């Protein structure tokens, strides 16, 4: 009988498949689904209930702790992301606000929302009072609390404002780190606040206020919450500063509008006065009489104006006007003395016009002055005096060897001072012309007489000389020490043109220091003035006035003096002065810029600076020289002036060596 085979020994029970899985596997799923913290205990409990080995249980315990740490880190990151998103939204909202009150309310509301507190409020520093005061609250119910003022260092808010550091208290009334006062504690008690967090509103290095978040129960503010409110406060400070700047700008604009309104009013008054002055001047230049002046003033002042002799004018009013130098009221009339020095020539009387504003009063006084000039001109001027003045000027132009003493004596008889600086002006009319065959057109005899008459009268009123020469007129007029020949030329062109009702072109010379001492200088100056006049005509600028300085580098060719330094100064003076004041190198940069073909890239290589530095310097040059400095004409003048400046500097250096 066959032996039975022995039965196989029973082996160990098959292990649970989960025993072979990594310990982290069940927790990864929990992390992926965002499970609650208590769910992380279940894999350990199931393994323990299934009789898992001790090593397996220990591995699961370690994996659980690691997973919980990861979960905490993920939650912290999500919270920080939410806070940053909230801060970004806050900054965006604040940037869109322009009114200061709206900005402050938005700051406080968002602070309360960010930290989830029951109350939020903001205080601002008062530099004048040396304290800080409650400005805006959100969630507050106590009127006393809303009106609190805190001295620097008092209460939690005063401490924050004084130290520029955040402070937090879990229980305000039990916190001894800051100075409690009855007023502040009463306000806080009325509001029922317990936990308070305060952060400074910093602008630059200074504190402008404090932002608070508070609860009516004890609460621990985490460091992250303190940092969050501080970041919000930083955005808030910038928004407050922007709103303040906008408010100041609006105020300034309002003030500027008011100032512009005043300026417009004053400009209208000045234009009116200027119009009257020009009209009276025109009357004088075209040979008008006293009655013409009276009629013009009567039209402007809308009244009746009469010139009376001294014996017919109201004596008392005439004496007061002579002594005071102004028009005076005489009942319903106004009286302005017409006088020459201390001599009374008569009076202008405005009748039936008791109310007269200062501008109209000044108009009457100016008319009296013009009347006195007309009377003096009638008395002292005439054909004889005009011939004397013309002959004297002719001698200055033609006879350089004349005795200076005799010239001074002759000039004194017509009221001229040839030892003072003068300017020579060459004037020519544009209008009716006759031709000498092949020669250029010239004014006819009538035009010459009209031009001579107007020029002589103008010269007489200015204690100068005038003569007819070369188909035009030449004037020798006194020039103030700081006078401008170009300005004088433009003024004379305008006055003669107004008087003659045709364009008159006038060229001016450089100043002649003392014509009597150097008569030959007058002829040279006349030649320069003629060149300037002809240059104006060649350029199509008839009817205008100019001197050599007005023609830029062309003036160097027109002027006898070849005032190179003056040309360089007029062209580059603003840049040179800026370099001297600031220690900059704008002139050097400008020279390098032109030398490099006006290329900023090559200029920065030449100067060994950054291209942005070149751009900034050229922007400053543009502000000093004007927006057209790179146009071909201006660029040519600037390059010539730079070259002359360099040559002058080199010559000076050689001399010094």
């Amino acid at each position: 009988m066959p032996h039975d085979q022995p039965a196989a020994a029973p082996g160990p029970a098959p292990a649970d498949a989960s025993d072979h899985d990594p310990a982290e596997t069940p927790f990864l799923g929990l992390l992926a689904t965002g499970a609650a913290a208590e769910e992380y205990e279940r894999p350990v409990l199931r393994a323990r209930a299934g009789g898992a080995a001790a090593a397996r249980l220990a591995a699961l315990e370690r994996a659980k702790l690691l997973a919980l740490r990861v979960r905490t880190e993920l939650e912290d990151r999500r919270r920080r992301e939410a806070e940053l998103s909230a801060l970004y939204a806050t900054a965006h909202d604040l940037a869109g606000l322009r009114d200061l009150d709206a900005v402050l309310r938005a700051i406080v509301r968002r602070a309360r929302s960010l930290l989830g507190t029951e109350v939020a409020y903001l205080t601002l520093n008062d530099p004048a009072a040396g304290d800080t005061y409650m400005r805006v609250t959100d969630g507050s119910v106590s009127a006393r609390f809303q009106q609190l003022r805190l001295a620097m260092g008092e209460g939690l808010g005063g401490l924050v404002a004084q130290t520029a550091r955040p402070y937090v208290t879990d229980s305000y009334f039990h916190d001894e780190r800051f100075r409690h006062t009855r007023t502040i504690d009463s306000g806080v008690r009325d509001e029922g606040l317990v936990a308070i967090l305060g952060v400074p509103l910093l602008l630059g290095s200074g504190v402008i206020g404090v932002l608070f978040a508070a609860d009516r129960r004890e609460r621990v503010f985490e460091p992250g919450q303190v940092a969050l409110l501080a970041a919000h406060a930083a955005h808030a400070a910038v928004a407050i500063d922007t709103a303040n700047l906008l408010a100041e700008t609006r105020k300034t604009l309002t003030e500027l509008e008011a100032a512009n309104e005043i300026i417009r009013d004053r400009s209208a008054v000045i234009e009116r006065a200027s119009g009257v002055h020009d009209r009276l001047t025109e009357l004088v230049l075209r040979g008008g009489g006293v009655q013409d002046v009276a009629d013009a003033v009567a039209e402007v002042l809308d009244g009746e104006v009469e010139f009376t002799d001294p014996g017919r004018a109201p004596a008392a009013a005439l004496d007061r006007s002579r002594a005071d130098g102004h028009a005076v009221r005489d009942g319903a009339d106004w009286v302005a003395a017409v006088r020459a020095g201390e001599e009374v020539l008569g009076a202008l009387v405005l009748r039936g016009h008791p109310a007269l504003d200062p501008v109209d009063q000044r108009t009457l006084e100016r008319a009296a002055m013009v009347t006195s000039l007309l009377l003096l001109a009638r008395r002292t001027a005439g054909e004889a005096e005009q011939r004397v003045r013309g002959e004297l000027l002719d001698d200055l132009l033609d006879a350089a060897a004349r005795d200076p003493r005799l010239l001074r004596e002759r000039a004194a008889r017509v009221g001229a001072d040839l030892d003072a600086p003068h300017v020579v002006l060459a004037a020519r009319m544009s209008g009716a012309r006759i031709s000498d065959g092949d020669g250029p057109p010239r004014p006819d005899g009538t035009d010459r007489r009209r031009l001579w008459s107007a020029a002589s009268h103008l010269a007489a009123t200015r204690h100068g000389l005038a003569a007819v020469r070369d188909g035009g007129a030449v004037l020798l007029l006194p020039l103030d020490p700081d006078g401008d020949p170009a300005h004088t030329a433009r003024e004379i062109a305008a006055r003669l043109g107004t008087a003659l009702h045709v364009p008159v072109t006038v060229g001016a010379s450089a100043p002649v220091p003392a014509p009597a001492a150097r008569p030959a200088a007058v002829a040279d100056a006349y030649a320069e003035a003629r060149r300037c006049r002809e240059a104006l005509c060649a350029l199509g600028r008839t009817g205008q006035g100019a001197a050599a300085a007005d023609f830029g580098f062309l003036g160097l060719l027109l002027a006898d003096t070849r005032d190179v330094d003056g040309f360089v100064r007029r062209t580059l003076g603003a840049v040179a002065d800026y370099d001297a004041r600031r220690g900059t190198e704008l002139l050097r940069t400008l020279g390098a810029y032109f030398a490099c073909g006006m290329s900023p890239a090559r200029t920065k290589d030449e100067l060994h600076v950054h291209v942005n530095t070149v751009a900034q310097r050229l922007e400053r040059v543009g502000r000093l020289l004007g927006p057209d400095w790179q146009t071909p004409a201006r660029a040519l003048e600037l390059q010539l002036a730079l070259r002359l400046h360099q040559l002058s500097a080199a010559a000076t250096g050689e001399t010094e060596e």
Side-chain angles (χ1 to χ4, degrees):
M1 174 176 181
H3 297 284
D4 293 335
Q5 296 292 332
D16 192 335
S18 61
D19 289 344
H20 300 288
D21 291 338
E24 296 82 5
T25 299
F27 300 106
L28 290 175
L30 294 175
L31 286 172
T33 58
E38 55 268 24
E39 294 291 330
Y40 289 74
E41 288 290 342
R42 293 188 178 181
V44 179
L45 295 176
R46 282 197 300 269
R48 186 177 288 116
R56 174 67 177 176
L57 293 175
L60 287 173
E61 193 68 34
R62 287 193 301 271
K64 179 193 72 172
L65 295 177
L66 179 61
L68 286 174
R69 284 200 300 272
V70 172
R71 179 181 178 278
T72 301
E73 181 66 21
L74 290 174
E75 287 181 350
D76 288 342
R77 292 193 178 190
R78 283 193 291 269
R79 178 178 53 79
R80 285 196 295 271
E81 182 179 351
E83 291 174 352
L84 289 174
S85 298
L87 277 177
Y88 177 83
T90 299
H92 182 271
D93 293 343
L94 292 177
L97 297 176
R98 295 294 180 266
D99 178 67
L100 179 59
D101 288 335
V103 168
L104 296 178
R105 288 193 296 270
I107 290 169
V108 173
R109 281 198 304 269
R110 188 55 65 93
R112 183 182 177 192
S113 173
L114 285 174
L115 270 71
T117 56
E118 296 171 282
V119 181
Y121 52 100
L122 181 147
T123 63
L124 291 180
N125 289 2
D126 186 347
D131 62 3
T132 181
Y133 64 98
M134 192 73 68
R135 183 66 170 80
V136 179
T137 65
D138 189 66
S140 171
V141 295
S142 169
R144 178 186 295 183
F145 179 80
Q146 295 167 12
Q147 298 172 4
L148 278 179
R149 296 189 76 96
L150 297 79
M152 294 299 180
E154 291 183 352
L156 185 143
L159 188 61
V160 174
Q162 183 181 52
T163 62
R165 295 174 56 191
Y167 276 86
V168 60
T169 178
D170 301 339
S171 179
Y172 176 86
F173 293 99
H174 297 95
D175 198 331
E176 299 299 328
R177 289 177 300 165
F178 42 83
R179 189 165 71 251
H180 290 265
T181 67
R182 178 179 300 175
T183 302
I184 300 173
D185 286 356
S186 297
V188 174
R189 187 173 288 108
D190 276 3
E191 190 62 54
L193 300 181
V194 176
I196 303 175
L197 166 62
V199 296
L201 293 169
L202 293 171
L203 196 60
S205 60
V207 178
I208 63 172
V210 180
L211 179 62
F212 298 88
D215 268 336
R216 297 186 175 92
R217 54 184 173 77
E218 289 191 2
R219 169 179 174 174
V220 175
F221 289 96
E222 301 293 340
Q225 294 175 318
V226 176
L228 177 62
L229 190 61
H232 178 54
H235 291 304
V238 173
I240 291 172
D241 186 52
T242 301
N244 283 330
L245 290 175
L246 286 172
E248 291 174 5
T249 301
R250 293 190 193 100
K251 180 182 178 181
T252 301
L253 288 175
T254 302
E255 292 173 351
L256 286 176
E257 288 175 359
N260 284 334
E261 187 64 29
I262 295 173
I263 291 172
R264 282 193 292 269
D265 292 341
R266 298 307 302 166
S267 296
V269 170
I270 292 172
E271 288 178 3
R272 180 180 174 189
S274 177
V276 173
H277 175 73
D278 291 342
R279 185 169 180 181
L280 294 176
T281 302
E282 180 184 356
L283 285 173
V284 173
L285 291 176
R286 75 167 183 237
V290 173
Q291 188 57 47
D292 294 326
V293 174
D295 292 342
V297 176
E299 181 181 345
V300 172
L301 300 183
D302 192 21
E304 179 185 348
V305 178
E306 178 186 4
F307 172 76
T308 63
D309 294 327
R312 295 172 49 216
L318 185 60
D319 288 341
R320 282 189 291 121
S321 178
R322 179 188 61 79
D324 188 43
H326 297 288
V328 298
R329 185 173 173 178
D330 182 47
D333 302 335
W334 285 81
V335 178
V338 178
R339 60 192 181 91
E342 294 301 319
E343 181 184 3
V344 177
L345 305 177
L348 281 183
V349 181
L350 174 63
R351 303 192 183 282
H353 215 312
L356 202 64
D357 63 38
V359 176
D360 291 339
Q361 181 180 343
R362 181 60 181 154
T363 298
L364 184 61
E365 294 166 359
R366 185 171 294 164
M369 184 183 302
V370 172
T371 302
S372 69
L373 293 176
L374 288 174
L375 293 175
L376 287 175
R378 183 184 300 170
R379 177 192 294 177
T380 60
E383 292 293 327
E385 182 184 334
Q386 292 176 358
R387 281 194 297 272
V388 171
R389 292 178 183 274
E391 290 169 0
L392 177 56
L393 183 52
D394 282 335
D395 286 346
L396 285 169
L397 291 170
D398 297 331
R402 290 281 185 182
D403 184 358
R405 181 179 58 83
L406 295 177
L407 292 174
R408 291 187 183 95
E409 291 177 358
R410 292 171 61 188
R413 286 196 289 271
V414 293
D417 179 12
L418 295 184
D419 287 319
H422 281 66
V423 61
V424 177
L425 302 153
R428 174 175 290 171
M429 295 173 57
S430 299
R433 302 292 181 96
I434 61 175
S435 176
D436 293 332
D438 295 335
R442 59 180 177 82
D444 62 19
T446 302
D447 285 342
R448 285 200 303 271
R449 284 192 296 272
R450 291 175 60 215
L451 179 59
W452 177 55
S453 176
S456 297
H457 182 79
L458 188 56
T461 60
R462 293 188 173 216
H463 305 290
L465 305 176
V468 173
R469 180 172 286 248
D470 303 321
V474 55
L475 297 91
L476 181 67
L477 299 181
L479 188 67
D480 294 334
D482 56 349
D484 179 14
H487 174 76
T488 303
R490 289 191 289 271
E491 181 185 2
I492 298 303
R495 288 178 177 269
L496 291 177
T498 301
L500 300 173
H501 301 289
V502 294
V504 177
T505 308
V506 178
S509 71
V512 181
R518 295 181 60 247
V522 179
D524 294 337
Y526 174 53
E528 178 182 336
R530 287 185 61 194
R531 289 194 294 270
C532 290
R533 183 191 66 192
E534 298 308 319
L536 283 173
C537 294
L539 294 172
R541 294 170 56 186
T542 56
Q544 300 182 25
D550 291 324
F551 295 95
F553 69 89
L554 181 59
L556 296 176
L557 305 177
L558 298 174
D560 281 328
T561 57
R562 301 295 190 269
D563 184 13
V564 173
D565 290 340
F567 169 72
V568 173
R569 181 70 187 167
R570 289 189 299 273
T571 308
L572 296 173
V575 179
D577 290 344
Y578 189 91
D579 277 348
R581 289 195 310 269
R582 304 293 183 88
T584 53
E585 294 185 335
L586 298 186
L587 274 181
R588 179 167 172 258
T589 302
L590 188 60
Y593 178 66
F594 284 125
C596 294
M598 301 175 73
S599 167
R602 290 199 294 272
T603 303
K604 61 99 174 174
D605 294 334
E606 176 69 19
L607 297 176
H608 304 291
V609 298
H610 195 275
V611 70
N612 289 343
T613 302
V614 174
Q616 292 168 1
R617 292 181 181 177
L618 294 179
E619 180 182 5
R620 174 60 62 183
V621 168
R623 292 181 185 174
L624 294 171
L625 297 180
D628 63 335
W629 71 278
Q630 296 190 78
T631 60
R634 283 294 304 281
L636 179 59
E637 284 193 7
L638 291 171
Q639 292 179 69
L640 177 58
L642 282 166
R643 184 58 178 161
L644 293 173
H645 174 71
Q646 293 166 358
L647 291 174
S648 176
T652 302
E654 291 172 4
T655 302
E656 292 173 353
E657 292 175 0

